[in-house]
Amino acid sequence: LREYRVKELTGKDHALDVSGCIVNGIVTVKIEPKDIDNFCKRQGIGQEAMSPFPVEAPAVYSDFYLVQVPIGTERDRAKSFRGDPSVKETGVLFTRAA
């Protein structure tokens, strides 16, 4: 994780570790649900690429979403999303296979 922080790949010096999962091409965004439609239009992505992410158990959803992007474009897409007026923060979700 330190290596990714040095390369500014996690945005705010954090990442989520979901060890045992194989997930590629995911960027995290904090955005209000009312802004998702316009965000998707501006960014050229379909709403099916957006998945709300629970922040507590049982599932309590906030303004935190996982966004599927093409594999290998995570860093560039996160930077692009940071420039969007409706996005509060972004990051890259790093995972590894078990």
Side-chain angles (χ1 to χ4, degrees), residues 13-40:
D13 290 343
H14 70 276
L16 301 176
D17 181 7
V18 286
S19 302
C21 297
I22 300 173
V23 179
N24 291 299
I26 300 293
V27 173
T28 62
V29 295
K30 188 165 177 102
I31 183 174
E32 292 184 29
K34 68 178 180 60
D35 294 326
I36 289 176
D37 187 47
N38 288 330
F39 168 77
C40 288

Side-chain angles (χ1 to χ4, degrees), residues 18 20-26 66 68 71 74 93-97:
V18 286
C21 297
I22 300 173
V23 179
N24 291 299
I26 300 293
L66 303 180
Q68 289 182 287
I71 296 169
E74 298 90 349
L93 177 62
F94 291 104
T95 60
R96 61 182 172 174

Side-chain angles (χ1 to χ4, degrees), residues 27-97:
V27 173
T28 62
V29 295
K30 188 165 177 102
I31 183 174
E32 292 184 29
K34 68 178 180 60
D35 294 326
I36 289 176
D37 187 47
N38 288 330
F39 168 77
C40 288
K41 287 177 185 173
R42 283 191 297 270
Q43 295 296 328
I45 59 175
Q47 287 194 12
E48 68 278 359
M50 305 278 295
S51 300
F53 192 78
V55 293
E56 297 176 18
V60 174
Y61 295 92
S62 68
D63 299 341
F64 188 64
Y65 290 83
L66 303 180
V67 184
Q68 289 182 287
V69 299
I71 296 169
T73 67
E74 298 90 349
R75 181 179 179 203
D76 291 336
R77 295 301 280 170
K79 285 182 179 180
S80 169
F81 295 164
R82 271 185 215 136
D84 192 283
S86 60
V87 173
K88 298 172 186 172
E89 66 181 74
T90 66
V92 176
L93 177 62
F94 291 104
T95 60
R96 61 182 172 174

